[in-house]
Amino acid sequence: MPAVEMEGIFKVYPDGVVALRGVTLRVEEGEIHGLLGENGAGKSTLMRILYGEIKPTEGRIKLFGREVNFSGPWDAIRHGVGMVYQHFTLVPTFTVLENLYLALLPLNPDITPEEVRKLAEKKMEETGLRVPLGEVVENLPIGVQQRVEIIKALLQNAKILALDEPTSVLTPIEVEELFKTLRELKKEGITIIFITHKLKEVKEITDRVTVMRRGEVVGTVNTGEVSEKDLARMMVQREVVMSLQKSPANPGEVVFRVENLKVRDEAGIEAVKGVTLELREGEVLGIAGVQGNGQRELAEALAGIRLPHDGRIIFEGRDVTSLGAAERYKLGIAYVPDSRKVGLVGDMKIVENVILTNLPRVTSSGRIMWDAAESLSEEVIKRFDVVAPSVKAPIKHLSGGNQQKVMVGREIVREPKVFIVAEPTQGLDIGATEFIRRTILNLRDSGKAVLLISTDLDEVLQLSDRIAVIYEGRIMAVGRPEEFTLERLGLLMGGVDA
Amino acid sequence: MLSVDRESILEVLMSLIIAFAVGTVVLVVLGYDPIRVYSILFKYGYGNTDYLLKKSTPLLLTGLAFSVPAIAGVFNIGGESQLYVGAITALLVAHYTGSAIPAVIIGTAAGALLGLTIAALRVYRNINEVITAIMLNWTFFYFIAYLVSAKYANPKVPHESVPVPPGARIGGIFFIAVLTALTYYYVLHFTEIGYKMRVSGVSPQSARYAGFSPEKMVLTSMLLGGAAAGLGGALLVLGATYTIDTTLSAIYGIGFTGIGIGLLGRNNPVGIIFSSLFMSGLIIGGQWVELKTGAPPELADTLIGVIVIALAVPYAYRLLMKKVGQRGSAA
Amino acid sequence: MRKGGIALALIGLVVMAMASGCIGGESEKEKVKVAVLFDVGGRGDLSFNDMAYLGAERAKEELGVEVEYMTPKSSEDMVPLLKQLAESKEYDLLVLIGFLWTTPLDQVADQYPDQKFVLIDSTTGKTRENELDILFREQEAAALIGVIASGMAYELGGDTIGAVAGMDIPPLWKFHIGYLFGAKYFEMKTGKPVKMIWQYTGTFGDTQVGYNTGMQLLQQNVKVIYGLAGLTHVGMFDAVIDWNEQGKGQAFAVGQDASQEWYAPKYIPISGSKRVDTAVYDAIKMVVDGNWKGGIMTLGLKENGVGYWDLDGVRQFAEFAKEAGKLKDMTPDDVVNIVKEQREKYIKPEVWEIVKELETKIKNGEIVFKTPQSHDEYEQIINELQKGNLNAALEKGSVS
């Protein structure tokens, strides 16, 4: 009997976005089932539905043959569903035992910490999964914290354990240990759903795998019967629509060079592990990859927001590695971040947002010349076709597309020589997307160097003159679009050399 | 850049109506004639211009001391101690030099330095500014009580400090405060540093993206805020009380009231000029309500509390929601 | 955001217009009308301000005057309030409670020669026709308390008395002199030596400091502690309560100004009195009777301005405390009964005899205490008293 049967699951969000289009997933009892797909394929949404966090618009869920309808995660937990997210749900200043106690209390209000300790010790004995009960959580390595999450789910009597990209936060050794654990749990009869975009891991750990793409299931296969290539093809298979007319590139001098760049993330973990790139005038270099593979850290290091701990950044022959963002912007580097929450100040006016990265142009001895600021904003509005009542309107009243145009436009009016742009069309409608992409191509045609960082494979394929694939902070390959088949791209993005 | 926002006016008007309506209910329930109480409150509260302006001066400045850091994203609850040090240093400088100008300057600088200290502890040592400020408030309260009663007591009036010598007493303190508010308004809205403070306050990540440091803006804003409170203390001593009594009754509580005034003025320096006047009038009038109606002073305090809450809550709520929203989206 | 300010501005103007629109006034001038201006903090202190209220209410009842009350928010408000009240010419007398009013009154009094002011428990140091400063001869009460405390200390099996005092300021100097005089007087009359430990805390508002100081004194074998530090000595009361109830020994506290027996009648058998009520009443009466005279007036035992609280007074304040919800698990009757019992048990007739004798001498004017004019003089008097030279404390008369 299958442990999980999800049939005909649709999920339509109130804003009309369709996340899942009739997904059917069957997970057999006691197997490790992989769930593979790109960003936005719908894996996480499907799991959140299984965990009772969101309700499906349509569809049925059966656990061990019985239909269920969860009112919330607690309901799911009571039915034996456990979930381990990328971001842990532990109280960092509590000890492991206190966290476990906290997790069990809602299920059994009479339980004592001493009983929890006994239960935990018994469970550790059974599974061989060891965690130090007396230690404060924040002092533990990430891998151990994850183990605490798993123990927590097991103590809550989870029969089905879903792990969302569990390896993304782990070191290779920790990954090995996790896999050992999962095999151990499988022996205990626990059903495991393993969400990932890494092909190697799918091959290594799963029994069967369901591949998703754009809210639909492409297929479910026995892992042993398919190759990584097959999986990659299933994951990225698409018709690339070349709606944009693109003139051939005419690359010039190298204006921007990155040598062996290493950057740490907020947690101090090395997110960019030695990236080397060259960017020429008049070309778009696209960086393809699944989200969370070091793209943001790379972009911020290139813009000067984040200091790399190793490597060099050369702009027009000059070493700019130690310069801050404002100085680099002044030299002619522009950066459009992946999030409008970062790039724009929602509570401020359009004009106040336009000057954010243009301060040197509108200030004179510390004073802001609002007239100059307003005419600069008018220019952005006119040139980039921003629909706005006035430059004094709050930016948050603009649509996402118009906000994006302001964010891109204010950089372009500065006439930068190097234009770094991340996820430029995320969440935009078709019209705005076309406009932004056209703008990027025009910029290239006018001889500027563009570095496009995007998790949208279509976008990278459409705009790039050269493509680099990033995986776990490393560039897997660089080449012209013709040199990549979709299958190869899929393999590279999944961490398989090809 | 000056423009009128209908929404904002409407909100303040609505709050005002609700405030006085709630106040009326409270009065009726407690058995007082609301019309009489309100007429006394306003007649006496706003009838004595000189008193009103003097009373408003330090409150306006502690209002700024709260709001300028608030704009840059810091919660300065230390206006209280920043005013204390401004008052005591101004008093002592006036005592020794016999002249007002160095007293004002040093009092202001003392407040600024204290504000900066709190900010530096947050920026460089990651110590929460609220905790530091609360502790410093009491530290300085007792330290100044000690100075006033033990080191600088007036031999003729032992419950008071040495007085400000007549040559160092000044008038027109309210206009100095207004000038400060207008200067701060200018700084916030017409200078690069002010713009950077505002960006840092709403969205530190945007500031970092734009290439300036929100931490530096925290320091700057606390420097400006502390300076305002310090100036408030200096003006209070040099222009109104001329001395500090050993119970510190003249300087106690002004920093806390300043928080309400800042919120009431919607963290806008120009708004704070008016909110400080409005609030001072209520405080003054409250004393007369007791005299004229026989109601206990707590009645007027309650009424003021209700009015301030009704006026400040919608704004404070929005600020809070914004913070929560930011945190939610960052996670 | 900056638009909010404009909005507020408009509202501010509206409010001010409203305010100036409703100015009106009624005046009727037959009854004597008095305004009592409390100290910052105002009523509910179960002490100074409440006593002033008592005195004024008594005047209202007995003399038929009209009384209004006001509590200033801070010392900053005192000058403008005084001016505005004087300018209104509505009040025949402004009664100012407590030392914070001293400087404000000094600044204002000359400008309003037609306005009568009475300042209770402080003086501007200037003589004005329109200003009466009422002071208390605290030494006289403190001397009686000194005798009683010494007597009680011996009943409790010790020979040491103490005091938790507020700040080192003139009113406290007077208490110190009187208290020490009383102890030495007891020593002289009975031949039993008495030690006295006087401790300034530097604050009138910190119960924690009071508690700690109280504990220190108790550990030095002090049997009776006189509380002379406002709120601070309430902390000392707690120390004495704990000392007794934790079985560390037996000790008593003595209150001052108001009757404070209700706070712990078993351990506070007596309080010295400073009759602010009498002062307020007397001042109002002067205006009603038409025999007002500016200057300085002192109230002592003779005028019933100071002394110790009798059981009626104890009952009165126990009732206040009850009303304020501060009297827990007891009725005012209980308080009075316990106090009566404790006084009978620990203040022996021979001690009362000494007290009465001293009281009579003071009331008759046979002896008059010095009021030190400087800290040096104060220290000198204390030194002499310590040596047993009782007459050093006296302005007039002598004891032997």
Side-chain angles (χ1 to χ4, degrees), chain B residues 152-158 160-163, chain C residues 170 173 373:
Chain B
Y152 293 98
N154 183 344
K156 288 186 202 124
V157 195
E160 284 178 1
S161 68
V162 290
Chain C
W173 304 346
Q373 298 304 314

Side-chain angles (χ1 to χ4, degrees), chain B residues 103-116:
Chain B
V104 169
I105 292 170
I106 293 177
T108 307
L113 196 66
L114 188 55
L116 191 63

Side-chain angles (χ1 to χ4, degrees), chain A residues 343-362:
Chain A
L344 298 174
V345 187
D347 282 316
M348 286 190 156
K349 296 169 187 165
I350 294 173
V351 53
E352 288 169 309
N353 275 288
V354 167
I355 66 174
L356 186 66
T357 50
N358 281 309
L359 278 173
R361 282 182 67 168
V362 297

